[in-house]
Amino acid sequence: MIKVGEKIEEIVKGDHEALFCLSRGVLNLSRYAREIHEAVEKKTKKQVKLPTIIMALSRLKKKIKGVTPLLKEVTIDGMTVKTPLAEVAFEKTSATTSRLPMVQKSIKPKSDEWFSFSQNSKAISVICSESRIDAVIKHMGVKPFLVLKDLTAVGLSVNARYHDKPNITFSLLHKIAEKEIPLAQIFTTRDEMMFLFETKYLSQIVAIFQQD
């Protein structure tokens, strides 16, 4: 049996602005109930009266009062900064794909240097120190279609207690999104999240997480 309250909670949690306003007690329940009325009936596959939706929203409001469920408080254990970096991107072909596994061994980056690579269905991207650009291109043997310089990476170390917690990545990204800072790439490991961006945003991003 489909429960109306569960489906309404699902809708609200998919609407970040509404969820925030509801948690702070400033959401107009009657107006929002009218906005989601059709969606509620579609999800529950039955007719649902507006007072029923308003009552469900009121119960949800009490449940999450003062807390935004999607955002978690995350303590940062450490922060590392790597700069200047560059992104070198190549068209993905059989030739570039075959040369990719040996690129790190070929250029021999130092242990304290940033070096990573990734690929999708169309492109191969190498992130490295700016001083390694020519070596990467030489190893790959083809002209890149993109070279971006003056990039910086910030790595945030998080405690092991967060490993099985939901929304940790979202919560850290949200802090950057609030400042409307564009990110070039995001890398994650079990213990660290790394952001790649234009160096001009470095002071802003460091300030965000130093506040914590």
Side-chain angles (χ1 to χ4, degrees), residues 67-80:
V67 178
T68 304
L70 297 182
L71 295 178
K72 309 296 181 182
E73 289 297 326
V74 184
T75 300
I76 305 301
D77 284 350
M79 183 188 306
T80 59

Side-chain angles (χ1 to χ4, degrees), residues 46 60-61 107 110 116 121 123 136 165 168 190 200:
K46 62 183 179 182
L60 182 58
K61 175 183 174 180
I107 70 172
K110 297 177 181 178
S116 67
S121 60
V136 169
K165 305 297 183 183
I168 301 305
R190 187 167 177 80
K200 65 183 180 180

